Amino acid sequence: MARASNLPVDPARIAEVIDGLAKLTEPGRPYTRRAFTALFPAGRDFLDGRFRAAGLETRVDAAGNLIARRPGKKPGLGTIMLGSHSDTVPDGGRYDGIAGVAAALEVAQALADKGIDLDHDLEIVDFLAEEVSIFGVSCIGSRGMAGVLPADWLSRERDGLTLEQGIRDVGGDPARIAGEARKDIAAFLELHIEQGPVLETERLDIGVVTAIAGITRIEIIVDGRADHAGTTPMGSRADALAAAARLVSGIEALAKSLSEGPGHFTATVGEFAIEPNAANVVPSRARLLIDARAEERNAMDLFAASVDQLADGIARETGTTIAPPRRISENMPTPGDPLLLGVLDAACETAGASHRRMASGAGHDTAFMAKVTRSAMIFVPCLGGRSHAPEEFAETDDIALGAAVLFNAVIQLDETLSQESV
């Protein structure tokens, strides 16, 4: 798909960063370098060395984010920021996040190669712990930079280590996070592998991300009655599992219907447990946890209302008791900034990259950066849509074309935002 010739960026330098980080993995576990574990500082040291070799100034902010800076010609005008994350999930993270950091660094290097000095400061950021960390929470660095990291998270503990100490160990300053919200960032852009099959299937180079889907998790408890599995007539049972199975099928049908609408929608029963979980006992209780994701908020509201009705109907028909479904967590959709989406579309045209607009079903640091500045993302294809697995793979030329889009976007943004400030 991608075309490496005549690009303003160097694919070889991108590959060197990705390959260098790939070598820093737990033995026998490609590619594993989780935040707050022994190998993570080695990855940070590698990146810091690459940033400095590119002539960038480096620092770690209060939230533990590694930041590389290229000063602009007009101090105080603001910062254009690019970046992603270098931490991984267990057993699978060669490109997820890392491609975005490598592409962002290459933009800075390409600007230097061509002698282009921006009016704005340019910063490249490696956010701390975008993936779910050993503390059970994610996007720690971007939440901190946006000033929305919950204070009580700092006391979370794993194996004698608190999150507060973990941030301190990577060079952060937890005491200053509460006042960290950045006010100087003029725009933020993130490149990421798609983590899905759309671009590859449609043979397109770039996805311009219209929105990061909101995520709602809904818990449902089904109470039935425990009885002997061999002596209780089938028509006399209140089987919690049988009722829960009907819920799962109904939830899938609802999600498929909503996915045919104008916006991205998915719903998955990802956790399921029954009691007493014995072969010769009719199940007395079942617990389901739904992960639902929607680009448009009205679709999520419709889904939740439909699940309420579904549960009520199944309870009446099965003789079970189903408590009102409970939303245990909720994040709103994050739309891409309209100005940045237009700039990215134009940047794709300049780079000769085929592209389409699309939503992200996965969460990203961009969702938190959008709380403090204009923010948007682009996707590049990945093989088979696979991610969070050792088989995760993206062509260097595809990432390089994405970096070229970022390069073009940064130049246009620098000019556009400079004119706005006049």
Side-chain angles (χ1 to χ4, degrees):
M1 284 180 286
R3 297 159 295 284
S5 60
N6 301 318
L7 294 180
V9 297
D10 183 350
R13 288 191 299 219
I14 294 172
E16 287 172 4
V17 173
I18 294 171
D19 292 344
L21 285 170
K23 293 174 183 176
L24 301 171
T25 182
E26 293 182 14
R29 300 190 70 188
Y31 297 89
T32 305
R33 193 180 51 264
R34 301 185 74 190
F36 310 112
T37 64
L39 272 176
F40 184 72
R44 275 286 176 85
D45 288 344
F46 172 82
L47 283 176
D48 187 76
R50 296 299 301 229
F51 291 162
R52 290 177 181 273
L56 304 175
E57 307 165 1
T58 64
R59 72 183 191 279
V60 176
D61 71 5
N65 301 304
L66 175 62
I67 300 172
R69 179 174 175 269
R70 184 174 189 257
K73 294 184 295 184
K74 297 182 178 180
L77 189 59
T79 301
I80 295 174
M81 181 178 281
L82 311 174
S84 195
H85 62 96
S86 68
D87 68 309
T88 76
V89 299
D91 303 311
R94 187 174 182 183
Y95 297 89
D96 178 353
I98 293 158
V101 176
L105 171 58
E106 179 54 30
V107 170
Q109 291 176 299
L111 289 169
D113 289 346
K114 300 183 183 317
I116 299 174
D117 293 322
L118 304 176
D119 289 341
H120 294 77
D121 294 341
L122 178 69
E123 288 188 350
I124 311 306
V125 60
D126 170 28
F127 289 109
L128 176 65
E130 189 270 355
E131 303 289 4
V132 176
S133 66
I134 61 172
F135 300 105
V137 290
S138 61
C139 295
I140 291 169
S142 53
R143 290 176 198 262
M145 187 178 286
V148 295
L149 183 73
D152 60 354
W153 281 16
L154 295 176
S155 61
R156 284 176 171 256
E157 184 177 339
R158 172 73 180 269
D159 297 332
L161 177 71
T162 63
L163 175 56
E164 180 177 12
Q165 185 59 48
I167 292 172
R168 192 174 290 116
D169 288 346
V170 299
D173 184 354
R176 292 194 297 111
I177 292 179
E180 179 69 7
R182 292 279 298 269
K183 302 291 194 297
D184 65 306
I185 305 173
F188 174 77
L189 295 173
E190 180 177 7
L191 176 148
H192 207 280
I193 62 170
E194 182 193 346
Q195 300 179 284
V198 175
L199 294 175
E200 182 183 66
T201 300
E202 297 185 4
R203 301 188 62 80
L204 294 173
D205 298 317
I206 300 292
V208 176
V209 179
T210 54
I212 296 171
I215 305 174
T216 297
R217 293 197 169 101
I218 303 172
E219 181 185 63
I220 305 178
I221 304 293
V222 182
D223 283 309
R225 186 183 66 247
D227 283 305
H228 194 293
T231 62
T232 308
M234 296 302 295
S236 301
R237 302 181 178 205
D239 187 329
L241 177 56
R246 291 178 60 178
L247 275 171
V248 173
S249 295
I251 288 163
E252 181 184 36
L254 284 171
K256 284 183 176 179
S257 176
L258 287 167
S259 72
E260 295 171 357
H264 178 84
F265 189 91
T266 63
T268 306
V269 177
E271 290 187 18
F272 194 104
I274 64 169
E275 297 175 12
N277 201 28
N280 61 346
V281 181
V282 175
S284 61
R285 170 170 279 211
R287 174 186 177 271
L288 295 70
L289 186 63
I290 306 168
D291 176 301
R293 306 191 180 211
E295 179 182 2
E296 298 178 357
R297 183 61 197 173
N298 61 350
M300 184 66 76
D301 290 339
L302 176 58
F303 173 75
S306 299
V307 168
D308 289 348
Q309 294 174 2
L310 177 69
D312 185 60
I314 290 174
R316 288 197 308 270
E317 294 167 6
T318 59
T320 58
T321 300
I322 303 179
R326 182 170 70 95
R327 301 191 197 192
I328 63 173
S329 67
E330 196 150 38
N331 292 314
M332 297 297 108
T334 304
D337 178 81
L339 171 66
L340 299 192
L341 295 180
V343 166
L344 289 169
D345 283 335
C348 287
E349 296 295 333
T350 301
S354 57
H355 58 100
R356 61 163 287 175
R357 291 196 171 190
M358 62 189 301
S360 172
H364 298 282
D365 288 310
T366 296
F368 294 97
M369 295 310 297
K371 297 181 182 297
V372 291
T373 189
R374 289 169 162 157
S375 299
M377 295 185 72
I378 60 170
F379 285 158
V380 298
C382 56
L383 182 64
R386 298 291 305 282
S387 183
H388 286 192
E391 296 80 15
E392 178 183 277
F393 180 79
E395 295 284 355
T396 297
D397 284 352
D398 289 334
I399 300 169
L401 186 56
V405 171
L406 286 184
F407 176 89
N408 295 334
V410 165
I411 292 174
Q412 183 180 337
L413 265 178
D414 184 55
E415 179 180 347
T416 300
L417 297 177
S418 293
Q419 291 172 353
E420 281 189 355
S421 67
V422 175

